[in-house]
Amino acid sequence: MSDAAHPKPGHDHPDAHAGAHGSMGSYMIGFGLSVILTAIPFWLVMTGVFANPQATAIIIMAFAVVQIVVHMIYFLHMNTRSEGGWSMMALIFTLVLVVITLSGSMWVMYHLNHNMMPMSQHDMSQMP
C-alpha cells in the first residue's frame, strides 16, 4: 500500500490549522482588554459612580458582553473563516437557544409572580 492511501496522523488536512493559533501580541492585546473590561465595572461598583443601581447593572452587562466577544476573538480564535464557518454557526445557534430559554423563563416567572400574588382588593386577613 502506498503512503498516499494512509495519510500521517495530524497531516490529513493541510489547512486544518490555518488561523488556529494566535501570536504573543494578540494574546497580550486580549489580556489587556480583559483586564480593562474587568477593572472598569469593578470601579463602577466600588465607587458608586451612578446613583441608579439599574443603570450600573446595565452598564456592567454591556461590559460583560464586550468581554465575551474579546475572549471569543483573542482566546478562542473564533471568526467566520475558522472551520468553514461552522463554529460561528454553532455559536449563533447557541445564542438563539440561550435567548429563547432566558426570555421564556423570565416570562413564566413574571406571570407566575403576577398571578400567584394576592391582589390589593383581597385582604388576606378576611379569608377563611
Side-chain angles (χ1 to χ4, degrees):
M1 297 193 126
S2 69
D3 286 336
H6 298 289
K8 294 179 176 132
H11 295 87
D12 52 342
H13 297 291
D15 62 339
H17 297 291
H21 301 288
S23 65
M24 181 63 132
S26 70
Y27 281 124
M28 293 310 291
I29 290 171
F31 177 73
L33 288 172
S34 296
V35 169
I36 291 168
L37 292 171
T38 300
I40 292 173
F42 183 79
W43 173 76
L44 288 174
V45 171
M46 294 305 289
T47 60
V49 174
F50 298 108
N52 186 358
Q54 292 169 339
T56 304
I58 290 171
I59 291 171
I60 289 172
M61 283 190 265
F63 274 101
V65 168
V66 172
Q67 193 167 47
I68 289 170
V69 172
V70 166
H71 284 211
M72 288 187 331
I73 292 171
Y74 287 101
F75 300 121
L76 298 177
H77 310 292
M78 291 185 73
N79 57 33
T80 55
R81 295 170 298 172
S82 64
E83 297 182 21
W86 283 108
S87 62
M88 190 60 66
M89 291 297 291
L91 173 70
I92 292 169
F93 178 69
T94 303
L95 290 175
V96 168
L97 287 179
V98 167
V99 167
I100 290 171
T101 303
L102 290 178
S103 60
S105 297
M106 295 302 289
W107 180 75
V108 167
M109 287 188 286
Y110 170 78
H111 285 285
L112 280 174
N113 184 43
H114 180 72
N115 292 329
M116 297 299 288
M117 294 302 292
M119 293 185 194
S120 61
Q121 67 256 25
H122 297 294
D123 188 11
M124 292 297 289
S125 64
Q126 296 184 8
M127 294 188 90

